[in-house]
Amino acid sequence: VPRVSEEYSAARRQQIIDAAFRCFALKGFHGATMRDIYEEAGLSPGAVYHYFESKDEIIRASFDFDYQRSLDVFTAARDSDDPLTALNELLDFFLRGLEGAAALGAGRVNVQGWGEALVNPNLLETIQRVLEGYLDALSHIIRRAQALGQIDDSLDPLSVGRLLLSTYYGLELQKALDPDVDVGKYSAAARALLLSTSRRA
Amino acid sequence: VPRVSEEYSAARRQQIIDAAFRCFALKGFHGATMRDIYEEAGLSPGAVYHYFESKDEIIRASFDFDYQRSLDVFTAARDSDDPLTALNELLDFFLRGLEGAAALGAGRVNVQGWGEALVNPNLLETIQRVLEGYLDALSHIIRRAQALGQIDDSLDPLSVGRLLLSTYYGLELQKALDPDVDVGKYSAAARALLLSTSRRA
Amino acid sequence: VPRVSEEYSAARRQQIIDAAFRCFALKGFHGATMRDIYEEAGLSPGAVYHYFESKDEIIRASFDFDYQRSLDVFTAARDSDDPLTALNELLDFFLRGLEGAAALGAGRVNVQGWGEALVNPNLLETIQRVLEGYLDALSHIIRRAQALGQIDDSLDPLSVGRLLLSTYYGLELQKALDPDVDVGKYSAAARALLLSTSRRA
Amino acid sequence: VPRVSEEYSAARRQQIIDAAFRCFALKGFHGATMRDIYEEAGLSPGAVYHYFESKDEIIRASFDFDYQRSLDVFTAARDSDDPLTALNELLDFFLRGLEGAAALGAGRVNVQGWGEALVNPNLLETIQRVLEGYLDALSHIIRRAQALGQIDDSLDPLSVGRLLLSTYYGLELQKALDPDVDVGKYSAAARALLLSTSRRA
DNA sequence: TATGAATGAGTATTCATTCAT
DNA sequence: CATGAATGAATACTCATTCAT
């Protein structure tokens, strides 16, 4: 009675996701065929379909990969004594993270995912959920910064959150289109202009 | 080749591009078939292929559409007496432009174009050329603002330009994913935080 | 402007149906692949799909083939002066027709169609419509025979019609399962037992 | 191999056949997958393949199910003193049996089996054997009726047997295609027209 | 005996593109 | 210039069956 362990199943799923991720980064969601994926994973088509119902589901699964870890970072920053500094550190942390992510092709997959989401309701939902999570956390911190007079409290916290998100996604986009973009300098500009701690509203 | 024919040709090309644009906005570059396009344009497949060599070329053509007009606006701002104000106005102008563009589906097409470009060298080149044009213009203005002491001159002008671009593209992305995003409030936040004229480096 | 004639289109459709019919007779609806069909027709897959939306539609089209001609025969018998003789001739005509139809594989296709219809709503509808047409015509004639005292008028005309239909379909089935069945002797038995003109109710 | 095991085996086989039968009635031989079958049976694929070599064998096994019982009925009628009456009772018995069989889906499975048999040699053999058994028994009784002058002895006994079989299979077909068919009225028509005991050749 | 993960050949269908008319 | 019938390579997905455990 060979009931396979859950770890085994999880490992196989991950193996497929990883392979798919590489294919998507290289050839795009449509350019990468299921054949590409199951060959990259070293499996048969049937094996892949044993773990995923469709290519679509694999695409979706390629997206959840680091969301949880990201939220953990936000949570840690949520109740800092100095929200503005926390935001700065947060921004810096994620912007610098793009350097490593780019190497793995994550930027390429994400940018393609945005476009795909506009046309693929399942993916849209996934992305919207992620975005919402980020914006909730950011709004919370921004409101605290406003309460402390660190940020002009006439500004809409959600919109400020979107602006910070733009700073991040805009760099992810530019770095995907041109890997030579200098993350360090961009980060410095963002810190200086956007959330300068020397200034008060 | 008489002049009449040239105008006729241009009109036909535009007719096809417009139809394709609508299809792309609705179904995506891959979801929209050539059939969708030539039916939307009210033409036969042969007619479309008379004016465009391939679907790829139509995709590319869907992208040049407002580039020239955008550059004109930059050019006008290039030699303003008050570069920081000019930048602010520029940002505001483009951000607010997203409201109307979204209605036409331009945001949807652009966001999809970014992803496609990562996988489609021809489109990548087109987009990179546009980006470069924007960054050149922005860098020029930023350097002038730095020379006037309006912006911290220790910052990399190109990176500041990228930051402004991110502000724009980040909103375009968020608005494509969620058309309810409030452009006005976002714009206000951007003006207040990013290039506050009341502050000097 | 090469607008192809309607005859051309109809001929192509028929070419495909004929090819499919041969494939279905030989290998069955499921055993025959689309590849079998378009190769048998000497066409490309795209060409076949230009004329038919799906394999299902081809299966359905393989069924209408001689329905109209059959109904014509019924119509001719409808108002005979001697309904019982007309019924006998009708039965004989169709039973003997099975000899030739069997050679063409029509019996094989029909028998498979019955089974398929139980699982394929589109085909079921087609077959039910045919059956209804036959039963209507038969009932009409039977009622006239009953009015003339040629058939026991306590019998349900529809059921008598079904009985005659069974005589036909039962032979079609047996001949499909065993092509050596002697149609002539069967027909003689049917005439003698079923609608013997020497007997009166 | 202990007796307990044999009973166990038989039970398991029957469990699988029953499940398959339900699946076949509902979805057809091709529409029902092995997965449907082993899930309906509450077993694993391996378990099913332990008891049956292939799907084909399961299909075949779904057919033998009531053959033996049918033959018993024939045997009982074989040497009746009044063959014509025996035939009438036989026909009536089986026709009325269709009412209950239809409820179980047996008609649906049988009709599909005819079509499948034309394409599946194993099934063809099974069905032909059954048919042959029925025809042998019928011919025997018919010959006795002819000897007694109850049936025109110029008719081919085998063909008369086929005619009676058609009466049965034709109704099974029509009832499968339309469950509302009235078996009682059909049976009355068959008795009155086909083997009227009041008439002598 | 039983499990269920794995196999992989096979299938219907699509769709960018061509070219005879 | 225009048509639309034809092409055919390519693709996602299925499903009967096997076999290590």
Side-chain angles (χ1 to χ4, degrees), chain D residues 33-34 49 54-55:
Chain D
T33 67
M34 286 301 285
Y49 277 90
S54 64
K55 185 179 182 182

Side-chain angles (χ1 to χ4, degrees), chain B residues 33-198:
Chain B
T33 67
M34 285 302 285
R35 189 176 180 188
D36 289 327
I37 294 172
Y38 61 71
E39 285 186 348
E40 174 79 19
L43 296 172
S44 67
V48 169
Y49 277 90
H50 186 74
Y51 293 99
F52 291 92
E53 287 225 317
S54 65
K55 186 180 182 181
D56 217 79
E57 209 194 312
I58 299 180
I59 292 177
R60 211 157 58 239
S62 300
F63 251 82
D64 294 332
F65 84 117
D66 60 357
Y67 175 52
Q68 197 52 53
R69 228 174 344 148
S70 299
L71 271 196
D72 290 348
V73 178
F74 275 108
T75 305
R78 227 181 146 84
D79 298 307
S80 157
D81 285 341
D82 184 353
L84 189 59
T85 299
L87 280 176
N88 257 303
E89 287 169 0
L90 224 43
L91 189 60
D92 201 55
F93 174 82
F94 282 105
L95 289 180
R96 289 183 183 280
L98 285 177
E99 197 80 65
L104 301 170
R108 291 175 61 86
V109 173
N110 281 333
V111 171
Q112 291 179 66
W114 303 337
E116 179 67 14
L118 297 180
V119 144
N120 179 330
N122 287 325
L123 192 55
L124 181 58
E125 202 200 64
T126 297
I127 291 193
Q128 280 176 336
R129 203 171 41 235
V130 171
L131 232 67
E132 214 173 303
Y134 291 163
L135 286 172
D136 275 355
L138 284 172
S139 300
H140 176 85
I141 308 180
I142 289 160
R143 262 189 299 268
R144 294 195 61 243
Q146 288 177 316
L148 294 177
Q150 293 179 320
I151 292 180
D152 179 348
D153 68 356
S154 73
L155 298 176
D156 174 42
L158 177 60
S159 295
V160 175
R162 289 196 185 280
L163 186 67
L164 296 181
L165 233 43
S166 288
T167 307
Y168 175 75
Y169 287 127
L171 178 59
E172 183 161 44
L173 168 62
Q174 291 181 63
K175 195 150 179 65
L177 292 171
D178 174 6
D180 294 334
V181 169
D182 188 318
V183 171
K185 289 182 182 169
Y186 180 96
S187 190
R191 254 177 294 131
L193 289 189
L194 209 53
L195 296 166
S196 157
T197 46
S198 66

